[in-house]
Amino acid sequence: MPKPTIVIVHGSYHTPYIYAPFITLLQNAGYVVHCPQLPTADLKYLVPDPSHPDFDYKPGTLQQPTQAEDAAVIQSLLKTLIDYQKKEVLLIAHSSGGWTAPESSVLSLQKAARSKDDKQGGIIGLFCIAAILAMPGSSTTSNFGRKPPGTRDDEEVAVWFKLHKSNCTTVPEGVRWLFHDVPEEEAQRYQRMLTGCPFLMSEMTNADVYERLPVAYAVTLRDRVLSVEYQEMVIKDVEERGTKVERYDVEGGHEAFLSQTQRCVDAVEDFVRKLLA
């Protein structure tokens, strides 16, 4: 059967270039892949001068983008692929893409709902990699602040981002927190690609997405940003809404699609086979 088109919904601070090795292997496996730049990680919306990014500017100088605008970008692409090109689409959500991808997966774009109306194409599933999966009514920021069951009240949370005067955040030590399991030269290069991120306060409005859409989750076992316990907590959130999550364990950090690229592609392939069986 024809393979679905893949849309990668990238995480905060990221540009599509960081996903290039992952995209290349997916393309080699026969997939058409899209990974649009999202506004909340786009320097041209985050700083007055993108050529010399300085986040320590006075709050209010710029109207910072919201994650709802990210969802609008993804949904516009999905409508083109599905309504006009009749494509079947697998969404891959990384990190804060765990809010944007399900928010964008409205019922009219889901394959199961479209099939009932004799329409072709549609979203066939959601594949997550270390994703901050949001529940309806919550934001990425509120979800990220949750503590997994069993966490002590006095347990310190690692602070891996820097808050600037603009109320944007950056990741000064990206090599330590994000790219610690890739070769040093590559890690430094990816560090330079990181941008910034405003506080992501948009509340998820897509109320029943997890009851309708198949979900897979790649748990990143060496993640320094999201603990395994946190990832298991959000998997449980989805399963409590009635959807059994297909779990894949990956021996990588938050950017496992770089350090364990083939493993991530194999997991995507396995999930696709199960969806199309």
Side-chain angles (χ1 to χ4, degrees), residues 239-260:
E239 294 190 330
E240 287 179 345
R241 300 182 76 90
T243 295
K244 176 64 178 175
V245 175
E246 194 74 31
R247 173 172 171 163
Y248 300 90
D249 287 352
V250 182
E251 288 287 347
H254 197 64
E255 317 286 303
F257 53 86
L258 292 174
S259 62
Q260 300 290 322

Side-chain angles (χ1 to χ4, degrees), residues 70-81:
D70 290 352
V73 169
I74 296 298
Q75 199 170 105
S76 177
L77 173 59
L78 290 173
K79 287 180 178 179
T80 298
L81 293 173

Side-chain angles (χ1 to χ4, degrees), residues 138-150:
S138 67
S139 67
T140 293
T141 298
S142 65
N143 270 278
F144 186 72
R146 294 169 61 204
K147 291 185 177 181

Side-chain angles (χ1 to χ4, degrees), residues 137-250:
S138 67
S139 67
T140 293
T141 298
S142 65
N143 270 278
F144 186 72
R146 294 169 61 204
K147 291 185 177 181
T151 305
R152 300 191 318 272
D153 291 339
D154 63 345
E155 190 169 329
E156 293 186 4
V157 177
V159 180
W160 46 269
F161 60 85
K162 178 181 179 180
L163 176 62
H164 295 266
K165 294 177 182 177
S166 62
N167 287 328
C168 272
T169 62
T170 59
V171 187
E173 296 183 272
V175 173
R176 175 186 175 189
W177 295 105
L178 301 177
F179 310 115
H180 55 90
D181 55 346
V182 301
E184 177 69 19
E185 186 176 343
E186 292 179 33
Q188 293 290 344
R189 179 162 55 88
Y190 291 127
Q191 161 80 55
R192 292 191 292 272
M193 292 182 186
L194 295 174
T195 60
C197 182
F199 282 103
L200 304 177
M201 305 301 293
S202 299
E203 293 186 355
M204 184 176 170
T205 63
N206 196 6
D208 58 355
V209 60
Y210 298 120
E211 287 87 339
R212 300 175 181 274
L213 203 62
V215 179
Y217 198 109
V219 177
T220 47
L221 301 178
R222 298 176 59 198
D223 202 314
R224 294 181 177 178
V225 174
L226 296 182
S227 68
V228 171
E229 291 78 14
Y230 181 96
Q231 296 177 70
E232 290 174 338
M233 178 180 69
V234 298
I235 289 174
K236 184 179 179 182
D237 289 341
V238 174
E239 294 190 330
E240 287 179 345
R241 300 182 76 90
T243 295
K244 176 64 178 175
V245 175
E246 194 74 31
R247 173 172 171 163
Y248 300 90
D249 287 352
V250 182

Side-chain angles (χ1 to χ4, degrees), residues 9-12 38 67 93-102 126 131-133:
V9 185
H10 70 69
S12 301
L38 300 180
Q67 204 165 11
H94 174 232
S95 197
S96 64
W99 184 98
T100 311
L126 172 63
I132 307 171
L133 273 177

